[in-house]
Amino acid sequence: MTKAEQILDFYSNLNIDVSTLPLKVDVLNPYQNPSPEMEKVLHEFYHKYYGDHHKRGLILGINPGRFGAGITGIPFTDSYRLKEFCDIDFPTDTRETSSVFVYDVIQAFGGAKKFYSNWFIGATSPLGFIHQNSKGNWVNYNYYDDPKLEKAVRPFIIDKLQEQLEICGNPRKCVVLGTGKNYKYLQKLNKKIQLFDEITPLEHPRYIMQYKLKSKENYVTKFLEALS
């Protein structure tokens, strides 16, 4: 199987039993019964950039959000970036803050073809979550935002981390997006199951865009140094 076939098989088989989750928490699974448009884009993107058998480094985000991978199915990639930098059309116009920074890094790295030839962007939890707040609105929820949720999805996370490692060719190092809870969680988990020899933390793109925008170019440089 090519890497593209492995990745598409991985996403198409993602599933969590919602009955195991805490109350007022639901799964964000864009890969379950995807629209024909999303399915077409997923196949086009992964066959374009991963239609080979080469090993890659692994970058782990937190979990998919509603407006990036939650719509396109591709981590940190909204429809605008998909068209602008990957030359792939998506019918719904979406803009996602983290995607802006990630594609600044990708362009500085040498473009999408070079970047994706060297790296696979996955997630600690490749499925996302939403939570019904006190106002009755459903909002983004990270796997670590609730101890009960973290405990419920831990077997899923371990299983899917192992599968993402296999997709990449079992690298012993990984890069983690999120220097806080995502990094600390993976550090603690890694001490128990020893997936990695080294975990390199980098600031989460959303944090940079929201709080460190004036220093964005410095962060792009930092990312390039870590990824080169």
Side-chain angles (χ1 to χ4, degrees):
M1 294 175 69
T2 64
K3 295 300 178 185
E5 292 167 327
Q6 284 182 273
I7 293 166
L8 291 168
D9 184 65
F10 170 76
Y11 283 125
S12 66
N13 287 291
L14 290 175
N15 188 46
I16 291 178
D17 183 359
V18 295
S19 68
T20 65
L21 304 182
L23 293 175
K24 297 185 178 182
V25 176
D26 203 355
V27 177
L28 177 66
N29 187 351
Y31 312 104
Q32 189 175 49
N33 302 316
S35 66
E37 293 81 9
M38 177 188 282
E39 194 164 19
K40 178 178 180 296
V41 164
L42 284 171
H43 279 76
E44 187 174 352
F45 178 88
Y46 284 110
H47 281 292
K48 181 173 185 176
Y49 295 115
Y50 293 87
D52 55 57
H53 299 87
H54 303 154
K55 294 182 178 181
R56 287 168 170 82
L58 176 61
I59 299 172
L60 291 171
I62 300 170
N63 41 233
R66 289 181 296 165
F67 302 114
I71 293 177
T72 64
I74 302 164
F76 294 100
T77 304
D78 59 19
S79 65
Y80 180 81
R81 256 50 58 175
L82 197 58
K83 173 62 179 176
E84 183 73 13
F85 300 110
C86 304
D87 198 27
I88 296 175
D89 287 313
F90 193 83
T92 304
D93 183 28
T94 62
R95 307 292 174 102
E96 202 275 328
T97 303
S98 295
S99 185
V100 178
F101 179 80
V102 168
Y103 275 82
D104 282 350
V105 172
I106 288 173
Q107 287 303 102
F109 192 89
K113 184 176 181 180
K114 183 178 179 181
F115 179 84
Y116 289 120
S117 293
N118 286 274
W119 292 95
F120 172 70
I121 303 180
T124 302
S125 173
L127 290 181
F129 305 95
I130 50 177
H131 168 65
Q132 190 176 33
N133 63 21
S134 58
K135 296 181 180 180
N137 299 321
W138 288 92
V139 297
N140 274 343
Y141 210 49
N142 294 319
Y143 71 87
Y144 52 63
D145 285 337
D146 180 345
K148 292 181 180 178
L149 174 60
E150 185 277 314
K151 184 178 180 180
V153 301
R154 192 181 305 157
F156 170 80
I157 284 176
I158 292 172
D159 185 50
K160 300 311 168 186
L161 282 173
Q162 291 171 332
E163 288 186 32
Q164 289 174 95
L165 275 167
E166 290 173 10
I167 287 170
C168 292
N170 295 303
R172 295 302 304 169
K173 300 178 182 180
C174 80
V175 172
V176 175
L177 302 183
T179 57
K181 293 180 179 179
N182 195 35
Y183 173 55
K184 290 176 181 176
Y185 175 84
L186 281 167
Q187 267 194 318
K188 184 177 179 180
L189 185 65
N190 193 53
K191 288 181 179 179
K192 295 180 180 179
I193 60 176
Q194 298 181 339
L195 291 174
F196 307 105
D197 294 332
E198 184 179 335
I199 301 174
T200 301
L202 291 172
E203 288 77 7
H204 195 276
R206 178 169 288 278
Y207 167 81
I208 295 168
M209 294 300 292
Q210 285 187 331
Y211 302 108
K212 300 292 182 180
L213 189 57
K214 291 182 179 179
S215 304
K216 186 177 72 166
E217 292 308 313
N218 292 335
Y219 282 101
V220 170
T221 300
K222 180 179 180 179
F223 272 58
L224 288 180
E225 290 173 352
L227 298 175
S228 62

